[in-house]
Amino acid sequence: PGAPAVQREDDTISVYVDLVNLLFTVADKKGKFVTNLRKEDFKVYEDDKLQSITNFSSESNLPLTISLLVDTSGSMRHKLQQAWQTVREVSLALRPQDEMFLITFSDDVEVRQKFTKNPDDVVKALRGIRSGGETSVYDALQVAMQEMKNAHNGKRILLLVSDGYDTRSKISMHQALEQLKRSQLQLYAIGIDDDDNDPLVLRQPRYHVYLFMLGELTGVSGGQTFRMYTGRNYALDSIAALILEELHEQYTLGYYPSIPKDGSWRTIQVKVNRPGSAVRIIRLSNPECRP
């Protein structure tokens, strides 16, 4: 037996911390987001066992960085105007401290507008664009995730406007999903579908939105998919406001599980002390848990 080991000042001690972080929103029966809630208003259960909340914060004032991804492939020919108007309304709804950049994609992916806080820059970048070619959704997401590394704001969102059927990407859907998981970015998608009752649509090949793919992509990132139809009138400013309101009114809480990590699945439930209100869990950090 020798003398006890002495820890040097430059030794590193590694400690595994099994912290679970949850990002979520709260809405009432009318779908209006509930704000100004406190830590005491929530209870978290893991496998029906009440947990002790250690961290809590509201993210209502964080500035955003939004990547606008617009599909300009041939199938978007009669949908481009609707797509541009949607992107325009989103850019106009951003706050002065928010920033955005614009990507278009068909056969290739192009960054049309670098980081800007001016909506007019995005509108100008969309001028003169025509539809044509195939669709590279996954490649566009990959480029957007790479560009996001240069973002100035901590809250980072991808907004995809497409009819949602990839025919050209160099990477696969599985690879895109894995990259989204690692990126910690939220993806929201607006799928524009051909309307079978539109006389203009009836005279051409119809392209229906691939909701399964969009749902998989947005679901793994904690975002949502919205569906629109060509030729129909929408309050696009309201859709833009709805998306941005959810992004601006999010809560984060964390807890240390009362049962040690053992490789099994855990079920998480978050309850709020507001009658008629519901919680939507957007993202959780622990891969052994599911909402």
Side-chain angles (χ1 to χ4, degrees):
V6 178
Q7 181 181 335
R8 301 191 309 271
E9 290 185 2
D10 59 348
D11 282 346
T12 300
I13 299 176
S14 298
V15 179
Y16 182 83
V17 180
D18 196 19
L19 176 67
V20 177
N21 279 308
L22 298 167
L23 180 66
F24 61 96
T25 59
V26 181
D28 61 21
K29 291 180 179 179
K30 297 181 179 179
K32 183 176 177 57
F33 292 100
V34 181
T35 61
N36 301 321
L37 296 174
R38 303 170 299 167
K39 173 182 173 181
E40 293 75 22
D41 294 316
F42 297 97
K43 290 184 178 180
V44 181
Y45 297 85
E46 186 179 284
D47 287 343
D48 296 325
K49 294 181 176 62
L50 182 64
Q51 306 294 312
S52 177
I53 299 173
T54 57
N55 307 320
F56 178 83
S57 65
S58 173
E59 299 191 353
S60 60
N61 295 317
L62 289 180
L64 302 176
T65 295
I66 294 189
S67 172
L68 304 165
L69 299 98
V70 181
D71 184 350
T72 59
S73 63
S75 61
M76 290 287 291
R77 179 183 175 188
H78 297 291
K79 307 171 188 176
L80 272 184
Q81 188 66 30
Q82 211 165 10
W84 295 340
Q85 290 173 348
T86 303
V87 168
R88 178 179 178 274
E89 291 299 333
V90 170
S91 64
L92 289 173
L94 293 177
R95 302 173 302 181
Q97 66 268 39
D98 298 332
E99 65 178 359
M100 69 201 102
F101 63 95
L102 173 68
I103 289 176
T104 59
F105 61 93
S106 54
D107 289 331
D108 300 308
V109 180
E110 183 176 353
V111 180
R112 291 272 179 175
Q113 174 62 55
K114 290 284 190 177
F115 293 96
T116 181
K117 295 182 179 180
N118 187 353
D120 290 338
D121 292 339
V122 173
V123 174
K124 290 176 182 177
L126 287 169
R127 290 175 183 167
I129 296 176
R130 295 184 178 181
S131 62
E134 298 187 58
T135 312
S136 305
V137 177
Y138 308 141
D139 286 353
L141 290 173
Q142 185 178 52
V143 171
M145 286 184 273
Q146 185 65 33
E147 286 290 316
M148 271 294 188
K149 294 179 181 179
N150 299 315
H152 302 95
N153 298 330
K155 186 75 174 174
R156 303 173 182 185
I157 307 299
L158 307 175
L159 177 60
L160 171 68
V161 183
S162 173
D163 55 5
Y165 191 85
D166 193 293
T167 60
R168 184 77 176 187
S169 287
K170 299 179 181 65
I171 67 171
S172 67
M173 181 176 177
H174 175 74
Q175 289 172 309
L177 288 169
E178 289 302 312
Q179 290 181 27
L180 272 173
K181 289 178 186 177
R182 293 196 299 270
S183 73
Q184 295 294 299
L185 299 172
Q186 281 178 256
L187 170 66
Y188 286 76
I190 297 176
I192 303 182
D193 206 346
D194 276 334
D195 188 346
D196 289 335
N197 297 318
D198 188 328
L200 179 63
V201 171
L202 289 173
R203 296 196 298 268
Q204 65 184 22
R206 291 186 287 282
Y207 298 93
H208 290 296
V209 65
Y210 190 19
L211 285 177
F212 171 77
M213 185 199 77
L214 294 180
E216 288 289 300
L217 292 169
T218 57
V220 78
S221 70
Q224 294 191 69
T225 298
F226 300 86
R227 189 177 192 175
M228 298 168 58
Y229 289 90
T230 52
R232 299 188 188 180
N233 293 321
Y234 293 91
L236 296 176
D237 54 342
S238 298
I239 294 175
L242 176 65
I243 295 173
L244 294 175
E245 185 181 11
E246 177 173 73
L247 299 177
H248 287 141
E249 303 299 343
Q250 295 179 351
Y251 298 94
T252 301
L253 63 79
Y255 71 93
Y256 294 95
S258 56
I259 301 176
K261 186 175 181 178
D262 59 4
S264 63
W265 281 101
R266 317 286 179 86
T267 299
I268 294 176
Q269 186 179 23
V270 179
K271 294 184 178 181
V272 59
N273 186 24
R274 285 290 178 92
S277 296
V279 172
R280 186 176 86 86
I281 297 179
I282 295 172
R283 184 185 294 277
L284 54 86
S285 65
N286 195 310
E288 289 186 357
C289 300
R290 54 189 171 191

